[in-house]
Amino acid sequence: MTISPLVLMLRRARVFIPRIDIPLCLVCMFVITFPVIFHPATVRWITMLFTCACCVYFMMLARLVRIADLSPALICRLIKTIIYAFAAVLIVQQICLVCGLPIFNEAKVYPMAPFKLNSLTAEPSHTSVTLGALMYFYTQTRRIEAPDTGLWRELREHWPVWACWFWCMFSPVNASAYMLAPLSLLPYVTLRNSPYWIPAGIAAVILFLTFPYGVSWTADRLRKTTIAVTTLDDRIILEADSSAASRIVPTLRGAKAIDMTDKETWTGYGTDADQRDMLPRPCDESLKGFAGIFSMFHNYGAPCALAFWWLIATVTLIRNRWLSLLTFAFAMQMSAEHNMQLVWVILAFSMVFKHVACRSESLLKPLTPDREISRKENAR
């Protein structure tokens, strides 16, 4: 991320992209100035500059996407390659586990679930999020590239990538996979095939709610958590599943802590202030607080958070495409950890998908048009 500005050595990359650069520049400005001016005692340069590095990296990526010769077919091939890489590493890890060998690239040990392996990410839940996002954008791109191809034909023609993805999602026994995997099938949900998916969806919900307790530990966790979240009660969600609560409860607490009449709501309470002000995050051994989606809001103020949410909305929302609302909600949930790679992965694929597959020229349209690109567009 630090060396990403070297992209500006490319002449065609030296442009200003308002819809990307303006919100990210505002985030960088607020992240630096608000703690320094209003809460100097909380200043942590490594944390603040890391957030800025994420923003700069994304701005440079936008420039590369804009000048790259990408196509929907190429995007699908790239996603396939990444999924195969995840599958290869996971299978090697599982072979090492079965044979009693040191596990290759293991990030964390789960004594109660030894097959809960991480593949190419920091932990198994990150793998589920990354692969869920990859297949989600893959199926959407495939639907745009071949709109007449149904799900069954897709599974028959491209079964190797689906098999690798399915194995990576479910063999590590990660509960989040059960929530994220169905997202990949949503692009195939249309009015034309509603006689099939409506009964199937109703049957799945009934089975999910009536599935015998104790038969599947993962299914039990997901069911209890789903029911508990509908109450919006911290205590009930914690009782249902402390691991899932670590992702949900902090956001509820962060929302309840907002006071629009408080000056600090607009200037922030300082760098990492939520770790001090909020109740300890569930499952966090360090006992640090966390404000979830409202972490940036609490630490750096409403203007900073609104600028970041503006970026998320700009990148993910697509006119006349209902799935983009789901993408927006997905990215917002991941934005709780804005200094981690997950939200930026989702935003990166959203940007590529919107610009290349959906042909949204306005997203990466520069303030000063590139003459060479304009010439090519006119020639077309």
Side-chain angles (χ1 to χ4, degrees):
M1 292 189 294
T2 304
I3 66 173
S4 63
L6 291 177
V7 167
L8 297 177
M9 295 178 66
L10 301 173
R11 183 181 60 82
R12 291 172 58 194
R14 298 172 200 160
V15 294
F16 184 77
I17 305 175
R19 303 190 72 185
I20 301 294
D21 293 347
I22 290 177
L24 287 178
C25 286
L26 287 174
V27 169
C28 292
M29 181 183 70
F30 292 134
V31 163
I32 295 296
T33 58
F34 279 9
V36 169
I37 295 173
F38 299 106
H39 302 281
T42 70
V43 169
R44 287 187 60 197
W45 287 108
I46 186 66
T47 300
M48 295 152 57
L49 292 177
F50 193 84
T51 301
C52 294
C54 290
C55 296
V56 172
Y57 180 81
F58 194 81
M59 287 190 277
M60 296 303 107
L61 178 63
R63 283 154 174 78
L64 290 178
V65 171
R66 179 180 168 272
I67 64 178
D69 189 18
L70 296 175
S71 66
L74 178 57
I75 292 174
C76 291
R77 289 199 299 272
L78 291 173
I79 292 177
K80 282 184 178 182
T81 302
I82 297 173
I83 293 175
Y84 290 145
F86 268 91
V89 173
L90 179 62
I91 291 172
V92 170
Q93 288 181 324
Q94 292 170 337
I95 292 174
C96 291
L97 175 66
V98 172
C99 296
L101 300 173
I103 297 177
F104 172 73
N105 199 47
E106 185 178 32
K108 189 176 179 180
V109 178
Y110 296 87
M112 299 298 294
F115 268 87
K116 202 176 179 71
L117 298 166
N118 60 297
S119 188
L120 285 172
T121 62
E123 59 179 77
S125 62
H126 291 190
T127 298
S128 296
V129 172
T130 303
L131 288 174
L134 283 169
M135 188 56 79
Y136 175 67
F137 287 109
Y138 172 82
T139 52
Q140 288 194 81
T141 305
R142 285 288 301 157
R143 288 288 290 164
I144 291 176
E145 187 183 20
D148 295 329
T149 301
L151 176 60
W152 301 120
R153 181 180 172 184
E154 176 69 25
L155 292 173
R156 288 196 306 270
E157 294 181 355
H158 302 278
W159 66 266
V161 68
W162 281 93
C164 289
W165 173 80
F166 185 88
W167 184 258
C168 290
M169 289 293 284
F170 293 103
S171 66
V173 195
N174 192 21
S176 58
Y178 289 84
M179 298 180 64
L180 296 172
L183 301 182
S184 306
L185 305 179
L186 290 180
Y188 293 96
V189 174
T190 63
L191 290 175
R192 188 173 61 181
N193 57 31
S194 58
Y196 301 99
W197 63 260
I198 290 179
I202 294 174
V205 171
I206 294 174
L207 180 64
F208 175 71
L209 294 175
T210 60
F211 198 72
Y213 280 90
V215 176
S216 172
W217 175 69
T218 304
D220 288 348
R221 286 181 58 199
L222 181 58
R223 177 169 50 189
K224 291 177 181 177
T225 303
T226 303
I227 296 172
V229 168
T230 60
T231 67
L232 299 179
D233 188 304
D234 298 9
R235 181 181 54 80
I236 296 176
I237 299 174
L238 282 166
E239 290 176 355
D241 190 307
S242 58
S243 178
S246 66
R247 298 169 174 82
I248 301 168
V249 169
T251 294
L252 297 177
R253 292 172 177 170
K256 293 175 182 177
I258 294 176
D259 181 3
M260 301 306 293
T261 63
D262 190 350
K263 184 190 74 173
E264 273 73 19
T265 297
W266 301 97
T267 62
Y269 292 86
T271 306
D272 293 335
D274 59 339
Q275 297 182 10
R276 175 198 66 215
D277 301 338
M278 298 292 169
L279 291 173
R281 184 179 186 177
C283 297
D284 190 345
E285 297 177 357
S286 65
L287 299 179
K288 294 180 179 178
F290 187 47
I293 293 174
F294 296 94
S295 177
M296 185 176 283
F297 197 105
H298 186 87
N299 296 339
Y300 302 116
C304 184
L306 292 175
F308 190 48
W309 297 345
W310 170 20
L311 170 78
I312 294 174
T314 300
V315 172
T316 59
L317 295 179
I318 304 172
R319 184 177 298 177
N320 298 327
R321 192 170 186 84
W322 68 271
L323 273 177
S324 68
L325 296 173
L326 183 60
T327 310
F328 171 75
F330 192 14
M332 283 294 293
Q333 174 62 31
M334 293 297 107
S335 70
E337 301 277 9
H338 55 269
N339 270 14
M340 290 180 63
Q341 70 273 26
L342 295 180
V343 63
W344 299 102
V345 165
I346 296 169
L347 289 177
F349 273 97
S350 297
M351 176 173 61
V352 173
F353 173 75
K354 186 173 182 176
H355 179 70
V356 178
C358 298
R359 295 177 175 83
S360 176
E361 300 293 339
S362 61
L363 178 63
L364 302 182
K365 185 177 182 180
L367 197 61
T368 304
D370 186 296
R371 294 180 180 177
E372 184 175 345
I373 291 181
S374 298
R375 241 190 339 264
K376 289 183 180 179
E377 291 176 351
N378 291 334
R380 289 175 187 172

